């Protein structure tokens, strides 16, 4: 699965940016509050406008403080997947149940320096594990390969039937890094500059997907 990150698009033309990636599996939308991360992007009103302009399932990544208070609104608005940060959620089990009850899939994200093991039991309540491969806050950063150890651990648990999450990765994914991420066991790849920085975003998605498929076949 390829999820283009609209963070790398022209914010003045978000509807056009969504239309340019029609072949995408999900459309990744980063919500940042300027507190949990040192950047401010967009919020629920803009997400609602994006939802109204595309048929692509919208993958909302909430890089915000107090997601227990705010996440439900994104699920109720029609987001396909709503991801909150393990480092910010006060009651992640209840939050996952509330997001699911509102009709969305629930995702749990961990930052590069956050260990995976403390959250394994929590993941039984979630549909998606989003492993950050850059420090959250800004696009265009360099991929941190050390996070792939967390991906491998999650993949082993999924393959063993102990977890049922989609393993997603976000940060620095491009033609140079997607193969090693696929080999580690990633299911869904968030790609920003690699898609929206290309002359033809739709072709860039297909090229990334082809690379991931080949690498996944080698690894499994």
């Amino acid at each position: 699965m390829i999820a283009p990150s609209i963070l790398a698009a022209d914010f003045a033309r978000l509807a056009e940016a969504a239309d340019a990636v029609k072949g995408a599996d999900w459309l990744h939308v980063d919500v940042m509050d300027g507190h949990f991360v040192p950047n401010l992007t967009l919020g629920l009103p803009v997400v609602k406008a994006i939802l109204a302009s595309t048929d692509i399932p919208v993958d909302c990544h909430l890089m915000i403080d107090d997601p227990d208070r705010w996440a439900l609104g994104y699920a109720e608005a029609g987001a396909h997947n709503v991801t909150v940060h393990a480092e910010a959620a006060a009651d992640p089990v209840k939050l996952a149940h509330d997001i699911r009850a509102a009709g969305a899939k629930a995702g749990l994200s961990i930052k590069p320096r956050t260990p995976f093991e403390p959250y394994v039991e929590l993941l039984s309540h979630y549909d998606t594990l989003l492993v950050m491969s850059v420090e959250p806050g800004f696009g265009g950063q360099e991929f941190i390969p050390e996070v792939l150890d967390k991906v491998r651990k999650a993949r082993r648990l999924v393959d063993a039937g102990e977890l049922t999450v989609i393993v997603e990765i976000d940060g620095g994914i491009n033609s140079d890094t997607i193969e090693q991420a696929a080999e580690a066991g990633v299911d869904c790849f968030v790609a920003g500059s690699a898609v929206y920085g290309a002359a033809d975003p739709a072709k860039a998605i297909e090229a990334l997907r082809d690379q991931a498929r080949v690498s996944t076949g080698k690894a499994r």
Side-chain angles (χ1 to χ4, degrees):
M1 298 169 62
I2 305 296
S5 173
I6 213 161
L7 182 65
D10 183 347
F11 273 25
R13 299 180 177 181
L14 291 180
E16 293 175 37
D19 190 59
V21 294
K22 282 186 175 178
D25 297 284
W26 288 354
L27 183 64
H28 190 82
V29 178
D30 288 311
V31 175
M32 307 183 195
D33 62 1
H35 298 281
F36 182 71
V37 292
N39 194 9
L40 182 67
T41 53
L42 46 81
L44 186 55
V46 177
V47 170
K48 287 180 176 179
I50 293 170
L51 286 163
S53 69
T54 184
D55 293 328
I56 302 170
V58 172
D59 177 29
C60 284
H61 178 193
L62 307 185
M63 290 178 262
I64 62 173
D65 283 337
D66 200 9
D68 304 72
R69 176 182 179 185
W70 302 109
L72 195 58
Y74 293 87
E76 292 173 338
H80 177 73
N81 188 69
V82 178
T83 295
V84 299
H85 267 268
E87 303 89 354
D91 190 343
V93 173
K94 181 180 183 300
L95 184 52
H97 291 174
D98 289 346
I99 291 170
R100 284 172 155 183
K105 292 184 180 297
L108 190 70
S109 183
I110 52 177
K111 296 194 286 187
R113 292 187 179 88
T114 299
F116 169 69
E117 290 80 4
Y119 300 101
V120 170
E121 290 189 15
L122 282 180
L123 286 170
S124 64
H125 301 277
Y126 282 83
D127 303 289
T128 307
L129 166 66
L130 177 56
V131 177
M132 292 301 298
S133 43
V134 299
E135 288 297 331
F138 296 93
Q141 297 184 66
E142 188 174 341
F143 182 79
I144 301 172
E146 289 78 13
V147 305
L148 293 180
D149 185 52
K150 288 184 270 190
V151 170
R152 294 183 189 98
K153 291 174 181 176
R155 181 82 263 152
R156 285 194 291 269
L157 292 173
V158 171
D159 290 345
E162 296 181 39
L163 289 177
T164 58
V165 293
I166 292 170
V167 182
E168 186 176 11
I169 196 164
D170 181 5
I173 295 297
N174 53 43
S175 60
D176 295 324
T177 59
I178 194 167
E179 292 184 12
Q180 58 184 304
E183 288 173 3
V186 171
D187 299 304
C188 183
F189 306 84
V190 177
S193 303
V195 172
Y196 282 110
D200 187 331
K203 285 186 178 179
I205 289 170
E206 285 307 311
L208 289 170
R209 186 180 285 122
D210 287 345
Q211 279 190 277
R213 283 174 176 160
V214 170
S215 296
T216 300
K218 291 178 181 175
R220 301 180 199 174

